[in-house]
Amino acid sequence: MRRTSKSLPRERSARFGYLGRQTVNMTQLKNDTFLRALARQPVDYTPVWMMRQAGRYLPEYRATRSQAGDFLSLCKNTELACEVTLQPLRRYAMDAAILFSDILTIPDAMGLGLHFVEGEGPKFHNPIRTAADVERIQVIETQQDLPYVLDAVRAIRRELNGSVPLIGFSGSPWTLATYMIEGASTREFKRSKEWVYNSPELLHQLLDKLALSVIDYLNAQIAAGAQVVQIFDTWGGILSDSAYQEFSLAYMRKIIAGLVREAEGRQVPVILFTKGGGQWLESIADTGCDAAGLDWSTSMADARQRVGGRIALQGNMDPALLRAPAAAIEAEVARILAGFGRGEGHVFNLGHGITPDIDPDRVRVFIDAVHELSRPYHAG
Ligand code: CP3
């Protein structure tokens, strides 16, 4: 990768104090198709990975999770977190691995008491309800507060041994704040929206602390060996146009400006995924990210026309297609590839995470279809 225009001066990374702690062996990547596509460089085929590719649709994941006891213990067990990261790669020819962890590790480290209730998703013992709660929140220091995440990154890099790049990730400040304020998953976001409209200053205080925490968290993951980072803004799309700009995008822009964008002599691309964010693609492209993740509600052809000259695009098959017959999956892959068209800058993915009910054989159909059907779009 030769793109240096956006690389930051060396002192920048020194400022974060991570240089010299690199323990990862700087192996040459055997498959750098994903990194090339993110840099909009030529590739032989369109690379593909899946959000939530390690998860409950795989029987081997369920077995390892029960060995760990529960989901959080799995995240905190270096060897088992590494194992489940690699499970989908043993079955399928994916072009990237993603760290097995969760976006809610940050609020957990802030003392909110994360736990998962079977069938109900994440919950916090101590949600944020008052100004005093916001005041008490401390910006995290990843090395001290979340060492298990960095241990997992290092172990996964060792095990991958240069086969494919490793993606690190974080939630966006807004998405993290919604869970912290609601205290659990929600469909309505009543409390979070109350904060947007009734206590915007308090919300900004919380988002500021979260943004500083995410910068530290992602830079620490990069120093430990993450070769790409993705920011999951799962709930940006529930905001009004102006509230999105003010409460979600502004903080992601701040994070991107604070990231170390080069490690091991390579660019570290940043992917920004706002679910339901298709209408804001131009503003997303202006944040300085390298790629935007798209959900299935945006047309790949339109997206490319709007911002494809500036950033790469990742997506965007509806995960529900994985319940359809093989021929329907192949037809949808073909349709999305044709939508992007010939040329560089497309990473194939689902428009959101794979769900637990999917037959693992359908995933193979999907991955193989992307690889086979995309070759004509890159030849010559
Ligand atoms: O993509 C991967 O394979 C990496 C692992 C990963 C997980 N969570 C594992 C997980 C990633 C990248 C996440 C991100 C995450 N976590 C997001 C953003 C992405 C998205 O899906 O929108 C969000 C909103 C969370 C919070 C979270 N964690 C929820 C709402 C849930 C419960 C949802 C459910 O499906 O039950 C989790 C739990 C979770 N995170 C599981 C996994 C594999 C399922 C836990 C289990 O094994 O029981």
Side-chain angles (χ1 to χ4, degrees):
M1 302 244 308
R2 230 159 254 250
R3 218 175 38 139
T4 50
S5 58
K6 274 203 212 151
S7 61
L8 294 164
R10 287 243 156 246
E11 312 79 78
R12 178 78 181 250
S13 25
R15 189 156 67 80
F16 290 95
Y18 295 125
L19 285 183
R21 292 191 207 169
Q22 198 85 30
T23 54
V24 178
N25 150 10
M26 295 186 26
T27 33
Q28 209 53 37
L29 271 167
K30 292 172 193 109
N31 174 359
D32 67 353
T33 313
F34 175 53
L35 295 181
R36 292 185 155 276
L38 288 172
R40 294 180 292 133
Q41 290 174 348
V43 290
D44 296 331
Y45 59 85
T46 304
V48 57
W49 66 282
M50 292 191 313
M51 289 190 273
R52 291 282 180 93
Q53 65 190 22
R56 286 166 292 180
Y57 73 102
L58 290 175
E60 59 269 36
Y61 169 83
R62 297 195 297 269
T64 310
R65 189 186 61 172
S66 68
Q67 193 186 337
D70 56 41
F71 170 67
L72 264 190
S73 310
L74 178 55
C75 292
K76 292 178 182 179
N77 182 316
T78 309
E79 193 191 328
L80 297 183
C82 178
E83 164 61 21
V84 292
T85 301
L86 299 174
Q87 284 170 350
L89 300 161
R90 294 194 190 111
R91 279 185 185 248
Y92 317 111
M94 275 143 184
D95 297 287
I98 179 161
L99 163 70
F100 188 81
S101 189
D102 199 82
I103 62 166
L104 301 178
T105 51
I106 288 181
D108 189 43
M110 288 172 162
L112 270 65
L114 176 64
H115 56 289
F116 284 82
V117 178
E118 195 61 47
E120 289 179 48
K123 289 203 190 304
F124 289 113
H125 288 298
N126 316 305
I128 302 284
R129 289 283 139 82
T130 63
D133 292 340
V134 173
E135 198 61 43
R136 265 197 299 276
I137 292 285
Q138 301 267 329
V139 173
I140 63 153
E141 286 186 42
T142 309
Q143 308 270 2
Q144 278 84 54
D145 300 332
L146 289 163
Y148 66 87
V149 175
L150 306 181
D151 290 341
V153 170
R154 283 185 282 263
I156 297 162
R157 273 297 298 276
R158 245 187 331 267
E159 287 297 312
L160 284 172
N161 194 24
S163 52
V164 290
L166 175 62
I167 305 165
F169 70 89
S170 170
S172 71
W174 164 251
T175 293
L176 295 175
T178 63
Y179 285 100
M180 295 166 77
I181 291 168
E182 304 285 344
S185 290
T186 167
R187 281 171 189 278
E188 295 176 319
F189 300 93
K190 280 190 187 145
R191 285 197 166 94
S192 321
K193 290 219 169 174
E194 251 170 59
W195 281 52
V196 167
Y197 297 116
N198 296 350
S199 319
E201 279 166 26
L202 201 55
L203 180 55
H204 279 304
Q205 266 177 44
L206 177 60
L207 293 169
D208 244 324
K209 290 182 176 185
L210 285 166
L212 292 173
S213 298
V214 170
I215 291 171
D216 187 81
Y217 191 50
L218 290 178
N219 280 336
Q221 289 183 37
I222 291 166
Q227 291 148 300
V228 173
V229 292
Q230 175 157 324
I231 302 172
F232 285 90
D233 186 31
T234 304
W235 302 123
I238 66 150
L239 290 166
S240 71
D241 176 46
S242 68
Y244 175 71
Q245 306 278 345
E246 180 179 345
F247 295 98
S248 188
L249 196 68
Y251 290 93
M252 297 196 283
R253 189 181 300 115
K254 179 172 173 174
I255 290 165
I256 291 169
L259 292 182
V260 175
R261 301 290 286 275
E262 194 181 328
E264 303 177 54
R266 283 195 198 94
Q267 292 290 138
V268 178
V270 180
I271 307 167
L272 199 160
F273 171 64
T274 290
K275 182 157 179 284
Q279 67 272 40
W280 299 307
L281 264 183
E282 287 81 1
S283 318
I284 289 171
D286 284 342
T287 57
C289 68
D290 297 87
L294 302 177
D295 69 32
W296 58 90
S297 63
T298 298
S299 141
M300 194 50 87
D302 286 356
R304 187 177 188 189
Q305 203 169 26
R306 287 163 59 196
V307 298
R310 291 195 280 154
I311 56 169
L313 294 168
Q314 178 174 281
N316 66 342
M317 193 178 88
D318 183 346
L321 249 302
L322 294 174
R323 285 198 294 271
I329 297 172
E330 286 162 358
E332 183 64 1
V333 166
R335 195 188 65 78
I336 293 167
L337 288 169
F340 187 86
R342 285 183 65 87
E344 312 312 332
H346 184 200
V347 171
F348 219 108
N349 205 313
L350 302 175
H352 198 198
I354 184 172
T355 49
D357 55 317
I358 299 303
D359 174 353
D361 289 341
R362 300 292 164 89
V363 173
R364 187 181 325 281
V365 170
F366 167 66
I367 301 287
D368 292 351
V370 173
H371 284 161
E372 282 159 29
L373 301 177
S374 65
R375 287 190 182 265
Y377 292 97
H378 300 285

